[in-house]
Amino acid sequence: MPSIPPGGRSAGGGRSYVLRFISGKYQGGEFPIVNDKPIIVGRSSDLDMVLVEDMVSRKHARITMQQDQIWIEDLGSTNGTFVNGEKIKRARLKEGDRVLIGTSILKVIAGEGARDSTDAKRDLENVAAARRTTQARTMSGSIEEVPLPDLLQLFATSKKNGVLVIRTESDDIGKIFMRKGVIYYASINDLDDVPPMKSIFRMLTWQKGLFDLDPPDEREFPNEMSLSVQEVLMEGLRQLDEFNEIRNELPDLNTRLVLSQPVIPPLRDLKPEELDILQLAHNYGHLETVLNKSLATDLDTVQSILKLIKGSYLRPE
């Protein structure tokens, strides 16, 4: 059981929770979870929590809390109910869990006392109306609230179609193209030099930024993939862990890599892939360009660069 934050108890002494909308047309809205007061979620206007969108069934799910235990049950919806990326029939919810219903992602958070559900229902209508006025995208949010791995798992399990667009504070724009939850292409800043897998692995390092799910892109790409999100995440997160272990040893991305003059250590001691990196460094110079041009992953490339620097084949300037 998570620690109890200040204000996390209701007037009756039990814990108080709310469902916060962190993505979708109701983003920013909240709905209280009250002991012994079931919440019926769906498209029908006479329900407790009304989500007006095509992917939500008339009666979609039921959320209940009894003795501080929160449960969610799918009511035979067409498109399903998902908790932390898993499609469920019935599941227990805890603080921090994320629920996907239609295009809305809701997060269970500790509240500060129960609110009236009628007021919450009206507030959700006001949030949706305000977002329509600003012409907000149907599904958007922050990767601080929904980290990219969690987001990809949600989209994969619910077999989403579209382009996941991530915009960072440094003006980088990443795009991940999906068909029925399967990744078939990816790019950062529309760079042709960087292979799709490398682009995804780089995006996994991003911790701040905003995301939107844009409509499907009908273009065909010359080097399309067909990879499950699970495959991508298993390899990407493994590489990220290893990359983080050597991150502090790396020069800045703007560093120029210069071939040592003369080259004293024998080239025959290098592996073919290390010779490739040495050639890229000689031809292009800057570390960032070498990373982009290399056919190897960023992890393998920086491991080779560090070896070449330590072996006196290259020197950073």
Side-chain angles (χ1 to χ4, degrees):
M1 178 70 71
S3 59
I4 300 174
R9 289 194 175 276
S10 66
R15 298 210 59 189
S16 178
Y17 296 96
V18 298
L19 292 163
R20 174 179 291 166
F21 287 76
I22 58 176
S23 175
K25 66 188 289 185
Y26 301 95
Q27 184 182 345
E30 294 185 352
F31 203 97
I33 307 173
V34 181
N35 256 318
D36 301 319
K37 290 187 178 180
I39 303 166
I40 307 298
V41 184
R43 203 172 67 246
S44 181
S45 61
D46 59 345
L47 301 182
D48 306 293
M49 184 192 293
V50 181
L51 305 182
V52 184
E53 56 173 287
D54 292 341
M55 292 186 66
V56 175
S57 297
R58 288 183 60 79
K59 281 191 176 180
H60 197 106
R62 178 190 292 113
I63 300 168
T64 56
M65 182 166 70
Q66 293 179 322
Q67 299 178 341
D68 289 349
Q69 289 192 7
I70 308 170
W71 293 87
I72 184 167
E73 177 186 0
D74 185 81
L75 299 177
S77 67
T78 302
N79 293 296
T81 302
F82 303 85
V83 176
N84 298 329
E86 297 290 331
K87 190 172 185 178
I88 61 96
K89 290 186 177 178
R90 187 171 186 266
R92 184 177 171 185
L93 295 176
K94 61 183 184 301
E95 187 177 343
D97 282 348
R98 298 179 181 90
V99 178
L100 175 67
I101 296 175
T103 64
S104 292
I105 302 176
L106 304 86
K107 185 177 182 180
V108 180
I109 63 170
E112 296 185 2
R115 294 173 59 223
D116 184 87
S117 59
T118 304
D119 291 342
K121 182 177 179 179
R122 184 180 61 249
D123 289 347
L124 286 184
E125 294 172 357
N126 293 336
V127 167
R131 288 179 68 79
R132 280 197 300 273
T133 301
T134 58
Q135 295 183 329
R137 286 178 171 84
T138 301
M139 196 163 193
S140 61
S142 162
I143 58 173
E144 289 179 271
E145 284 274 19
V146 195
L148 186 54
D150 295 0
L151 196 58
L152 288 173
Q153 286 179 321
L154 284 171
F155 289 171
T157 312
S158 53
K159 300 187 185 304
K160 286 279 189 283
N161 293 309
V163 183
L164 176 60
V165 181
I166 304 109
R167 295 172 174 83
T168 71
E169 294 175 345
S170 56
D171 295 328
D172 286 318
I173 300 177
K175 297 179 182 178
I176 298 176
F177 298 75
M178 305 184 79
R179 290 192 195 103
K180 295 184 178 179
V182 175
I183 298 172
Y184 68 93
Y185 192 72
S187 67
I188 295 176
N189 300 329
D190 295 322
L191 286 175
D192 295 330
D193 286 344
V194 184
M197 281 291 285
K198 186 182 289 190
S199 296
I200 298 174
F201 293 165
R202 288 186 184 181
M203 282 183 255
L204 289 174
T205 68
W206 296 352
Q207 296 180 343
K208 293 184 177 181
L210 301 175
F211 72 83
D212 299 290
L213 184 64
D214 284 358
D217 189 318
E218 302 303 327
R219 285 180 296 169
E220 292 186 2
F221 299 97
N223 48 346
E224 285 193 7
M225 314 176 295
S226 181
L227 291 173
S228 72
V229 164
Q230 198 62 30
E231 289 176 287
V232 170
L233 292 182
M234 283 181 63
E235 179 60 18
L237 296 177
R238 179 195 69 80
Q239 289 195 25
L240 181 58
D241 287 342
E242 293 188 33
F243 189 90
N244 285 334
E245 291 178 6
I246 59 175
R247 182 188 293 271
N248 293 334
E249 302 176 46
L250 288 175
D252 186 85
L253 283 176
N254 295 321
T255 299
R256 185 170 180 79
L257 301 173
V258 178
L259 198 65
S260 298
Q261 297 289 342
V263 179
I264 296 175
L267 294 177
R268 64 176 176 270
D269 290 348
L270 297 177
K271 299 175 182 177
E273 55 268 27
E274 293 164 350
L275 285 170
D276 289 342
I277 301 300
L278 187 67
Q279 184 178 21
L280 287 174
H282 177 63
N283 290 343
Y284 298 104
H286 287 95
L287 174 58
E288 184 174 20
T289 308
V290 173
L291 285 168
N292 289 344
K293 294 286 186 180
S294 172
L295 297 178
T297 65
D298 282 342
L299 175 63
D300 290 339
T301 302
V302 298
Q303 286 174 334
S304 294
I305 289 171
L306 288 175
K307 179 178 177 179
L308 292 169
I309 291 174
K310 291 174 182 177
S312 299
Y313 295 93
L314 292 174
R315 71 173 191 274
E317 284 189 350

